[in-house]
């Protein structure tokens, strides 16, 4: 149904005709007749969106990169420059969606749909001609199978994403009292904000050693230090430089571990203190309030499931950063670890200090925000797991779609208790009897004027 051979050839033809091929410089060396990886992804995405078989406006760039990877694996084009020689003996080369990665077409034409006639074919025997036709036919079949797999994967990835998001929202609507979920949970992937309000003084991460573990000079890291270093991955270069400059070079000093922990804790607090936005967006206030109500009522299982569904719907980078921060503050809040302040317990210090980093909303009271932060911190090991209910609902919906059922007939959810036909008829008869009795009682009441009786009836 996809006419895979035509689609396969059309994408290759679009690449040949639309990518910008010219001389380019890379590492003080000039390469002829090449194009960039990002340009190839742009052409593939544009072609897929305009295709009459795969017409879709929400094809992600990651899917375009996967198609380009498949094209490169099948020798439609190959990398040029140092990368070609570096990975020449490797089985697979990774396609890069950047303006600095260069590629060139392999000297091969499109797969012909019909055999070409040439002078040599006239001198071939019938058996040899039959073998050539069989070989060409098998190549076309391989191309069809390959592109059908690509098309199927693109369609299935989009369908699965839509299904589990829909089921997660419906299940979330069951757990918490929210009027509408249409305008919330529409989070985009956020870029790292500039904490200083100026341009980054570090030109590139290429020349900056961001591996703090090498600077610690310790044979083994404990959980506290490891969790803190994991948080630093989302920090800009300025803070990494601060950590590297403040770390003591000598490991012979007493209480060197406490010194390391104090430096890392202060840097983490300083970074999140300068961020304008909290990790959990203010647009999701209705979700936060619903989870807090469940916690206050003691419904911890429902609160955990609602939190898992909400976290599942966050942008991937926000979810990962939240995971690392919650893991760190959960470890740092334990009394047997590093003492943060002498006069207060670690847990109290963490909750009072880190609540505004995770959740900052003027509508919620300070006690409510701290309650939610404490709950997320205590359940961080279970928070980022997928609820079994969501897995069952999603698999059930996908099975119904594969069987060809109409997805709009049954959503898989019910908010009412089903009754039998007999129970319905009995209730209907009782309702009619009550209405008749009400009309008779009102009609016999002399205190009600006739005009008002007609209006009420």
């Amino acid at each position: 149904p996809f006419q895979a051979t035509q689609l396969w050839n059309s994408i290759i033809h679009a690449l040949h005709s639309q990518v910008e091929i010219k001389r380019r410089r890379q590492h003080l060396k000039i390469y002829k007749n090449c194009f960039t990886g990002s340009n190839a992804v742009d052409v593939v995405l544009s072609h897929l969106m305009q295709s009459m078989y795969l017409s879709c406006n929400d094809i992600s760039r990651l899917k375009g990169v996967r198609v380009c990877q498949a094209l490169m694996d099948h020798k439609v084009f190959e990398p040029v420059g140092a990368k070609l020689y570096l990975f020449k003996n490797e089985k697979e080369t990774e396609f890069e969606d950047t303006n600095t990665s260069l590629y060139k077409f392999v000297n091969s034409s499109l797969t012909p749909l019909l055999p070409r006639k040439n002078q040599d074919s006239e001198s071939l025997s019938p058996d040899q001609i039959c073998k050539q036709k069989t070989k060409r036919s098998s190549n076309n079949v391989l191309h069809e199978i390959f592109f059908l797999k690509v098309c199927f994967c693109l369609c299935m990835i989009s369908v699965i994403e839509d299904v589990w998001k829909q089921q997660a929202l419906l299940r979330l609507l069951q757990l918490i009292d929210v009027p509408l979920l249409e305008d919330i949970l529409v989070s985009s992937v956020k870029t790292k904000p500039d904490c200083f309000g100026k341009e980054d003084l570090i030109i590139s991460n290429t020349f900056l050693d961001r591996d703090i573990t090498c600077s610690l000079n310790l044979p083994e890291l404990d959980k506290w230090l490891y969790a803190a270093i994991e948080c630093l991955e989302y920090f800009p270069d300025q803070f990494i430089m601060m950590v590297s400059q403040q770390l003591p070079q000598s490991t012979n000093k007493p209480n060197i571990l406490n010194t390391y922990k104090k430096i890392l804790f202060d840097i983490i607090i300083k970074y999140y203190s300068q961020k304008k936005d909290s990790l959990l967006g203010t647009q999701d206030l209705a979700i936060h309030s619903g989870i807090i109500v469940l916690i206050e009522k003691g419904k911890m299982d429902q609160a955990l499931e609602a939190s898992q569904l909400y976290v599942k719907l966050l942008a991937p980078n926000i979810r990962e950063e939240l995971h690392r921060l919650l893991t760190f503050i959960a470890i740092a809040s334990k009394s047997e670890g590093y003492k943060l302040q002498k006069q207060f317990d670690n847990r109290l210090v963490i909750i009072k200090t880190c609540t505004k980093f995770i959740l900052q909303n003027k509508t919620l009271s300070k006690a409510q925000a701290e309650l939610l932060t404490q709950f997320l911190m205590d359940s961080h090991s279970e928070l980022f797991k997928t609820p079994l209910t969501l897995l069952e609902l999603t698999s059930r919906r996908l099975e119904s779609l594969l069987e060809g059922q109409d997805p709009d007939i049954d959503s898989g959810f019910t908010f009412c208790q089903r009754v039998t036909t007999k129970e319905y008829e009995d209730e209907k008869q009782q309702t009619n009897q009550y209405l008749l009795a009400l009309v008779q009682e009102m009609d016999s009441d002399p205190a009600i004027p006739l005009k008002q009786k007609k209006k009420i009836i």
Side-chain angles (χ1 to χ4, degrees):
F2 291 104
Q3 299 188 11
T5 303
Q6 294 184 13
L7 280 173
W8 168 257
N9 288 337
S10 66
I11 289 184
I12 301 176
H13 179 74
L15 280 174
H16 276 276
S17 59
Q18 297 179 25
V19 292
E20 186 180 3
I21 300 176
K22 65 179 183 179
R23 289 178 24 166
R24 300 178 188 273
R25 182 187 297 272
Q26 185 186 65
H27 302 306
L28 303 179
K29 196 171 183 180
I30 296 178
Y31 300 94
K32 297 180 179 180
N33 300 327
C34 56
F35 56 92
T36 63
S38 58
N39 186 209
V41 176
D42 293 338
V43 172
V44 169
L45 282 178
S46 176
H47 182 77
L48 290 177
M49 291 178 182
Q50 296 175 6
S51 173
M52 60 179 295
Y53 304 105
L54 294 173
S55 56
C56 183
N57 294 325
D58 59 351
I59 298 179
S60 66
R61 193 166 187 86
L62 178 59
K63 297 174 185 176
V65 173
R66 291 175 181 172
V67 173
C68 289
Q69 179 71 56
L71 293 172
M72 188 175 68
D73 292 342
H74 284 73
K75 305 301 181 184
V76 176
F77 55 83
E78 63 181 7
V80 299
K83 185 177 179 181
L84 175 62
Y85 298 101
L86 183 62
F87 297 95
K88 190 173 183 180
N89 297 325
E90 298 288 338
K91 292 182 179 179
E92 294 183 358
T93 306
E94 184 178 357
F95 177 83
E96 296 180 358
D97 180 17
T98 63
N99 289 323
T100 57
S101 56
L102 303 182
Y103 301 89
K104 68 176 181 179
F105 290 109
V106 179
N107 292 328
S108 61
S109 58
L110 300 181
T111 304
L113 297 178
L114 296 174
R116 296 182 181 179
K117 293 183 179 181
N118 50 33
Q119 296 177 356
D120 297 335
S121 62
E122 297 177 358
S123 60
L124 296 177
S125 63
D127 293 338
Q128 291 174 332
I129 294 176
C130 183
K131 289 180 181 179
Q132 282 191 352
K133 290 182 178 179
T134 304
K135 184 177 180 180
R136 289 167 181 163
S137 177
S138 63
N139 288 337
N140 286 340
V141 171
L142 289 175
H143 290 158
E144 289 184 9
I145 293 174
F146 161 72
F147 203 85
L148 277 173
K149 288 181 179 179
V150 174
C151 298
F152 180 76
C153 289
L154 291 175
C155 295
M156 284 304 299
I157 289 173
S158 178
V159 169
I160 291 173
E161 288 179 354
D162 292 341
V163 167
W164 76 254
K165 286 182 180 179
Q166 181 191 40
Q167 298 301 310
L169 287 171
L170 288 172
R171 179 58 181 166
L172 196 58
L173 187 60
Q174 276 191 319
L175 292 173
I176 59 180
D177 185 16
V178 179
L180 287 174
L181 288 175
E182 293 179 355
D183 299 328
I184 62 177
L185 297 175
V186 185
S187 57
S188 57
V189 179
K190 299 179 181 179
T191 57
K192 295 180 181 179
D194 190 0
C195 299
F196 295 109
K198 299 179 181 179
E199 293 184 0
D200 195 346
L201 300 178
I202 306 299
I203 297 176
S204 172
N205 291 346
T206 307
F207 306 101
L208 176 65
D209 186 7
R210 293 177 62 93
D211 192 359
I212 303 300
T213 56
C214 297
S215 303
L216 292 179
N217 295 322
L218 293 175
E220 187 177 356
L221 296 178
D222 61 4
K223 292 182 179 179
W224 202 106
L225 288 173
Y226 181 79
I229 293 173
E230 284 290 297
C231 292
L232 297 182
E233 186 175 334
Y234 282 84
F235 289 15
D237 295 342
Q238 296 94 326
F239 289 90
I240 305 299
M241 291 293 292
M242 290 181 188
V243 175
S244 301
Q245 293 172 0
Q246 294 180 24
L247 289 176
Q249 299 299 324
S250 175
T251 58
N252 298 324
K253 298 180 180 180
N255 298 325
I256 189 66
L257 287 179
N258 290 340
T259 304
Y260 288 154
K261 291 178 180 180
K262 183 180 186 307
I263 293 173
L264 292 175
F265 182 78
D266 292 343
I267 288 293
I268 291 174
I269 297 301
K270 182 177 181 181
Y271 168 69
Y272 282 107
S273 298
Q274 294 184 9
K275 290 187 68 173
K276 296 181 180 179
D277 300 326
S278 57
L279 288 176
L280 301 184
T282 56
Q283 72 273 11
D284 303 333
L285 174 63
I287 303 296
H288 305 156
S289 302
I291 296 174
I292 291 172
V293 170
L294 291 175
I295 298 173
E296 292 175 341
K297 292 181 178 180
K299 300 179 179 179
M300 296 303 177
D301 292 339
Q302 295 183 14
L304 177 59
E305 185 181 355
S307 302
Q308 289 174 332
L309 294 170
Y310 170 65
V311 169
K312 192 76 176 173
L313 292 166
L314 293 176
N317 63 330
I318 301 298
R319 182 169 61 247
E320 179 61 26
E321 185 176 2
L322 179 64
H323 188 188
R324 298 189 184 200
L325 179 61
L326 288 177
T327 302
F328 168 69
I329 64 176
I331 295 175
S333 64
K334 296 180 180 179
S335 58
E336 62 269 16
Y338 169 68
K339 187 69 174 178
L340 300 176
Q341 293 184 13
K342 294 182 179 180
Q343 62 272 33
F344 297 108
D345 182 65
N346 282 3
R347 185 177 180 86
L348 181 62
V349 174
I350 287 292
I351 294 175
K352 295 292 184 181
T353 306
C354 300
T355 296
K356 58 182 179 182
F357 308 154
I358 299 173
L359 180 65
Q360 189 175 8
N361 197 305
K362 296 180 179 179
T363 307
L364 296 175
S365 65
K366 187 177 180 180
Q368 288 178 322
E370 291 178 353
L371 178 63
L372 181 58
T373 301
Q374 180 179 342
F375 175 77
L376 296 177
M377 181 182 70
D378 293 339
S379 58
H380 75 279
S381 58
E382 300 291 328
L383 184 62
F384 298 89
K385 296 180 180 179
T386 303
L388 293 177
T389 308
L390 179 60
L391 292 176
E392 294 175 358
L393 292 172
T394 304
S395 61
R396 196 185 309 159
R397 171 52 66 92
L398 289 174
E399 288 176 1
S400 65
L401 290 176
L402 290 174
E403 293 174 358
Q405 300 179 8
D406 188 353
D408 296 328
I409 293 180
D410 185 9
S411 64
F413 289 89
T414 174
F415 295 89
C416 304
Q417 183 179 0
R418 188 179 295 276
V419 297
T420 62
T421 306
K422 185 177 182 305
E423 291 174 334
Y424 169 73
E425 293 296 337
D426 293 343
E427 292 288 342
K428 181 179 178 181
Q429 185 177 1
Q430 290 180 10
T431 303
N432 292 334
Q433 292 176 359
Y434 285 129
L435 289 174
L436 181 60
L438 181 63
V439 171
Q440 292 175 350
E441 181 180 356
M442 181 182 58
D443 185 53
S444 60
D445 189 353
I448 303 177
L450 179 62
K451 186 176 181 180
Q452 188 175 359
K453 290 180 181 180
K454 292 181 178 180
K455 183 178 180 181
I456 294 175
I457 292 177

